[in-house]
């Protein structure tokens, strides 16, 4: 039997919101069903929350595996209007951004398993020289490892210069990143050794190029070439989408954070105390932004089943379609 009453801590505000709409001549029938769904969600996930917070709204705004664009828009629009109503009354309520539309839905991020990463590296490491490019087989194995091992955004990898990397110390300078912030990170000795080998091969081909990762003309990779190269390697290694989760260039970054947190959990470390450092390393404005995809971990790592994911369920991933 379908429950037709509001029962969460927000129930009185939801009921008043429906009455408000109906008093202005809106039938608000299908919208009421959506709000009832949201109420059930709040009762289950946030039973003690009597305010409309960003945490609950953005978790609600993740597209469902069986949901189409129109259904998604209808579902989130009601909660957006609810937030505007509460704000109008003077409450501190979160309003869902208008930018979330059918063509720009916050899809669940894809996280590489260790097996899929191994397949990806095996493919890139075995790539042969392509007749249209003398360097593609050299660039791919190193560039994608930088993206995974350092959690780089795609644009950060493309903008890396040879002078940004100190092979002796592992110091890497990330310039002109998101929010116009620069940062310094450090990489492992293994990655530096791989970099040294890469540079000994690439510099003789393009001695005058400043770019770390180059196209066939020695220029920094464009976004389109970067995307094409990733898709070529992804398809060649046999990696496919997992439900609605489509592997993309941001998957390396998501995987870096997820695997690191998983390793900390296995080692019994205090994750809360380590999150600010991880956030700074990845260039996030708020450390909590690193944890949106934690609820995916039980599907990837069976021994994470006892982890308290609800503590970290208030995160939004970066929109992978934008730089």
């Amino acid at each position: 039997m379908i429950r037709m009453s509001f029962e969460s801590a927000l129930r009185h505000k939801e009921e008043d919101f429906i009455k408000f709409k109906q008093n202005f001549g809106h039938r608000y029938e299908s919208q009421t069903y959506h709000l009832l769904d949201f109420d059930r969600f709040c009762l289950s996930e946030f039973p003690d929350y009597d305010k409309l917070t960003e945490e609950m709204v953005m978790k609600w705004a993740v597209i469902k595996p069986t949901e189409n664009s129109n259904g998604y828009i209808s579902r989130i629009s009601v909660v957006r209007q609810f937030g505007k109503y509460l704000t109008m009354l003077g409450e501190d309520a979160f309003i869902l951004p208008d930018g979330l539309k059918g063509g720009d839905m916050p899809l669940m991020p894809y996280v590489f398993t260790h097996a899929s990463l191994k397949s990806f590296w095996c493919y890139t490491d075995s790539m042969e020289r392509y007749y249209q490019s003398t360097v593609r087989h050299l660039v791919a194995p190193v560039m994608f490892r930088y993206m995974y091992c350092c959690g780089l955004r795609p644009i950060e990898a493309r903008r890396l210069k040879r002078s940004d990397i100190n092979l002796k110390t592992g110091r890497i300078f990330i310039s002109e990143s998101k929010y116009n912030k620069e940062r310094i990170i450090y990489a492992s000795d293994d990655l530096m050794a791989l970099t040294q080998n890469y540079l000994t091969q690439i510099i003789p081909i393009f001695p005058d190029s400043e770019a770390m990762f180059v196209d066939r003309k020695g220029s920094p990779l464009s976004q389109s070439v970067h995307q094409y190269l990733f898709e070529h390697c992804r398809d060649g290694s046999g990696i496919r989408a997992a439900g609605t989760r489509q592997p993309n260039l941001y998957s390396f970054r998501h995987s870096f954070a997820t695997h690191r947190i998983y390793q900390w959990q296995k080692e019994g470390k205090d994750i809360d105390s380590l999150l600010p450092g991880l956030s700074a390393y990845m260039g996030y404005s708020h450390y909590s932004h690193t944890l949106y995809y934690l609820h995916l971990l039980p599907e990837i790592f069976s021994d994470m089943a006892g982890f308290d994911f609800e503590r970290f369920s208030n995160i939004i991933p970066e929109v992978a379609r934008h730089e």
Side-chain angles (χ1 to χ4, degrees):
M1 181 177 179
I2 300 177
R3 178 173 62 82
M4 296 300 294
S5 60
F6 295 102
E7 297 180 5
S8 74
L10 286 168
R11 60 187 179 278
H12 298 306
K13 298 175 183 179
E14 292 167 327
E15 291 169 351
D16 289 343
F17 170 62
I18 297 298
K19 292 177 182 177
F20 171 80
K21 285 291 188 178
Q22 291 175 342
N23 286 339
F24 274 86
H26 301 285
R27 296 180 63 182
Y28 234 67
E29 294 179 350
S30 61
Q31 294 90 338
T32 298
Y33 284 107
H34 287 311
L35 197 60
L36 282 166
D37 282 340
F38 178 69
D39 184 76
R40 282 191 287 269
F41 164 81
C42 292
L43 184 63
S44 173
E45 301 291 333
F46 303 95
D48 301 322
Y49 283 45
D50 60 356
K51 291 185 178 181
L52 193 67
T53 68
E54 179 178 1
E55 179 180 1
M56 63 166 63
V57 171
M58 294 310 298
K59 188 171 182 180
W60 169 255
V62 174
I63 187 172
K64 299 176 181 179
T66 59
E67 197 168 31
N68 60 32
S69 178
N70 291 334
Y72 173 78
I73 294 172
S74 297
R75 179 169 63 84
I76 68 171
S77 294
V78 176
V79 177
R80 180 184 293 115
Q81 291 296 319
F82 183 44
K84 291 180 179 180
Y85 164 78
L86 294 175
T87 301
M88 180 187 69
L89 296 180
E91 286 204 24
D92 182 17
F94 178 75
I95 300 175
L96 192 67
D98 289 330
L100 295 182
K101 301 177 181 178
D104 191 25
M105 294 179 284
L107 298 178
M108 302 281 277
Y110 177 94
V111 176
F112 287 103
T113 64
H114 291 307
S116 60
L117 269 180
K118 182 178 180 180
S119 297
F120 192 91
W121 302 140
C122 285
Y123 183 82
T124 58
D125 291 345
S126 62
M127 291 176 66
E128 297 181 355
R129 177 172 172 172
Y130 186 51
Y131 77 98
Q132 289 186 341
S133 174
T134 59
V135 296
R136 186 180 74 169
H137 65 294
L138 302 176
V139 170
V142 183
M143 178 181 60
F144 291 126
R145 277 185 170 90
Y146 262 80
M147 294 175 66
Y148 171 69
C149 295
C150 301
L152 299 183
R153 298 180 176 95
I155 195 171
E156 293 173 348
R158 293 198 300 273
R159 287 181 174 175
L160 270 181
K161 299 178 181 178
R162 297 172 186 174
S163 59
D164 291 334
I165 302 170
N166 187 316
L167 294 174
K168 293 182 179 180
T169 64
R171 181 182 183 273
I172 302 174
F173 176 66
I174 308 297
S175 64
E176 300 180 24
S177 185
K178 197 170 185 179
Y179 312 114
N180 296 316
K181 291 184 177 181
E182 300 174 340
R183 70 184 189 278
I184 293 174
I185 63 175
Y186 285 84
S188 67
D189 292 340
D190 289 343
L191 188 59
M192 290 301 100
L194 184 68
T195 304
Q196 178 67 72
N197 182 61
Y198 165 74
L199 289 174
T200 59
Q201 300 178 75
I202 209 76
I203 290 177
I205 302 173
F206 297 114
D208 299 325
S209 177
E210 296 182 357
M212 180 66 180
F213 302 119
V214 297
D215 61 18
R216 60 183 180 179
K217 297 181 180 179
S219 301
L221 288 178
S222 65
Q223 181 180 353
S224 59
V225 171
H226 195 184
Q227 180 67 31
Y228 170 79
L229 184 56
F230 168 73
E231 292 176 356
H232 172 81
C233 296
R234 178 198 63 195
D235 296 343
S237 56
I239 296 175
R240 300 290 182 265
T244 61
R245 300 164 196 160
Q246 177 69 38
N248 57 44
L249 285 168
Y250 267 94
S251 296
F252 295 107
R253 182 168 165 86
H254 293 316
S255 300
F256 164 79
T258 304
H259 294 171
R260 173 48 50 197
I261 295 166
Y262 166 68
Q263 190 61 37
W264 287 340
Q265 169 71 7
K266 285 188 64 178
E267 295 171 357
K269 294 184 177 180
D270 182 0
I271 294 178
D272 283 321
S273 67
L274 294 170
L275 285 178
L278 178 63
S279 178
Y281 187 94
M282 298 181 71
Y284 280 109
S285 58
H286 301 286
Y287 81 87
S288 61
H289 289 175
T290 57
L291 292 175
Y292 170 82
Y293 26 86
L294 269 177
H295 64 284
L296 302 178
L297 277 166
E299 300 179 22
I300 304 170
F301 305 111
S302 59
D303 53 342
M304 290 290 283
F307 187 73
D308 185 8
F309 294 99
E310 291 305 313
R311 283 195 304 135
F312 305 111
S313 62
N314 61 328
I315 328 295
I316 296 182
E318 297 181 48
V319 178
R321 302 178 189 185
H322 302 291
E323 299 280 351

